[in-house]
């Protein structure tokens, strides 16, 4: 029999042999299961894609039960410990750890694409003083499409690569401009002599000093944070990137859509929600009462739970450790005590144990961002900078995959059968 599934249709007793490849059946093989020649054939129903693989990928591996995350086969713990974000970006995009000269070339290319057209400043000015920075970021990324019309040539590998470099290079600039706008501060141009993360810190925090020298701990912390956020296989925003990109629209438009998906409070917006939650809890003594509310479904414990991880999110473990290093520079974040107490109590409670709810990447990251003096609304933008390369690596893989077509799910239509239109006078 080999690797296959024998399916008996109890409606008519017919039996089918469905091959199993790479641990999955091809949903299209179900279409042969019919009760009559004009029957459409069987479909699978999977709202929220809980058990449907939409692609074959060689980029990121997650074992949610074991709490394992690997990029291109390398454990996230080793990558976060040892490399820069740009090195990680190249690994994700190209599949192998880059040789030194190849890395230098890549880093040089990214560094020299960090500037944006002067008009970007003008449309940034058009936003209200209290505009949400994620809204500005998403709009600015979408607007880049109008500056690079060649990006529409998604079938051309060279053109794709240029846009990938541009996007990785320019998202920190757009993010920093959005930040400066909300603060009423002048925009700071990129400093090409600084590292990717050092330059980002400069564009955000530089004031009157002639030369901004980034704090090495914070510069390194951003490398780690961006690496941890760089990719996470087919999550909501990445699936959006692939889905929108499957229409063959340019990558700026797809990436703006992906960033839109990330903005939601159940996805990348959760890091901000964690902070609002901790501030609302206010004191360690209030934690048991908050947990009671979570158990009675009056509240959600933001930063906990994950669709894939049914174990401690390995990224949360690394971020928790990183937080202590950052706090040595910035001073302690007083909300850390509440977070630690929440985690301690939650991990002992049956409600969380039975549902396998553990801290996710967003639980501790917000505490670091806040300690660095970023406003809470800005947290999802920081997530988006790191995730940009993952979206792009997945987009490139999708565009070059012969099995992919324009994404177009089916539905189970449960509405009315055909009926005749009635004018107002005949309606009840
Ligand atoms: N707090 C309280 N209860 C929770 C939480 C939580 N954070 N997460 C899940 N649950 C409960 C659900 O209410 C459900 O309970 P039930 O069985 O009594 O109905 C059960 O655990 C299973 O949860 P689902 O909703 O089925 O889990 P799903 O996989 O659909 O959702 C998600 C995953 C969206 C991440 C969810 O855990 C959540 O909303 N967490 C809080 C938001 C958050 O931190 N998001 C960031 C995720 S990481 C990222 O996107 C980068």
């Amino acid at each position: 029999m080999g690797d296959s599934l024998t399916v008996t249709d109890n409606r008519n007793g017919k039996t089918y042999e469905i091959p199993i490849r790479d641990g999955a059946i091809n949903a299209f093989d179900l279409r042969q299961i019919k009760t009559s020649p004009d029957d459409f054939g069987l479909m699978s129903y999977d709202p929220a894609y809980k058990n449907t693989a939409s692609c074959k990928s060689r980029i990121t591996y997650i074992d949610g039960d074991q709490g394992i995350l690997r990029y291109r086969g390398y454990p996230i713990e080793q990558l976060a410990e040892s490399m820069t974000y740009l090195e990680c970006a190249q690994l994700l995009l190209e599949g192998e750890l880059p040789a030194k000269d190849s890395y230098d070339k890549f880093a040089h290319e990214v560094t020299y694409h960090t500037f944006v057209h002067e008009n970007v400043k003008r449309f940034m000015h058009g936003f209200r003083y209290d505009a949400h920075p994620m809204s500005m970021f998403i709009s600015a990324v979408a607007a880049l499409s109008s500056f690079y019309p060649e990006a529409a040539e998604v079938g051309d590998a060279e053109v794709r690569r240029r846009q990938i470099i541009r996007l990785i290079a320019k998202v920190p600039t757009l993010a920093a401009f959005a930040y400066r706008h909300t603060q009423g501060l002048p925009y700071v141009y990129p400093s090409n002599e600084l590292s990717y993360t050092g330059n980002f810190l400069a564009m955000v925090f530089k004031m009157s000093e002639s030369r901004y020298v980034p704090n090495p701990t914070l510069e390194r912390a951003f490398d780690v944070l961006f690496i941890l956020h760089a990719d996470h296989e087919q999550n909501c925003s990445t699936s959006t990137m692939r889905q929108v990109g499957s229409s063959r629209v340019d990558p700026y438009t797809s990436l703006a859509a992906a960033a839109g998906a990330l903005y939601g409070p159940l996805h990348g917006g959760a890091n901000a929600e964690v902070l609002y939650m901790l501030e609302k809890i206010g004191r360690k003594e209030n934690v048991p009462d908050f947990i009671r509310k979570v158990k009675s479904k009056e509240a959600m414990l933001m930063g906990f739970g994950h669709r894939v991880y049914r174990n401690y999110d390995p990224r949360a473990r690394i971020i928790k450790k990183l937080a202590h290093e950052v706090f040595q520079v910035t001073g302690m974040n007083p909300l850390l005590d509440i977070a630690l107490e929440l985690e301690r109590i939650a991990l002992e409670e049956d409600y969380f144990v039975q549902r396998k709810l553990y801290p996710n990447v967003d639980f501790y990251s917000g505490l670091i961002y806040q300690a660095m003096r970023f406003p809470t609304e800005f947290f999802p933008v920081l997530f988006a900078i790191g995730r940009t390369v993952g979206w792009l690596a997945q987009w490139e893989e999708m565009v070059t995959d012969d099995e992919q077509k324009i994404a177009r799910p089916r539905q189970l239509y449960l509405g009315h059968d055909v009926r005749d239109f009635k004018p107002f006078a005949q309606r009840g």
Side-chain angles (χ1 to χ4, degrees), residues 34-46:
K34 298 178 177 202
T35 48
S36 63
D38 57 354
D39 180 351
F40 181 77
L42 208 63
M43 289 192 284
S44 61
Y45 173 59
D46 187 8

Side-chain angles (χ1 to χ4, degrees), residues 266-267 270 297 300-301 303-305 307 351 355 357 360 362:
L266 298 188
H267 191 11
K297 307 270 187 205
M300 288 275 282
L301 178 46
F304 255 67
R307 173 61 59 76
Y351 176 94
R355 291 170 177 78
L357 300 172
N360 60 48
D362 293 318

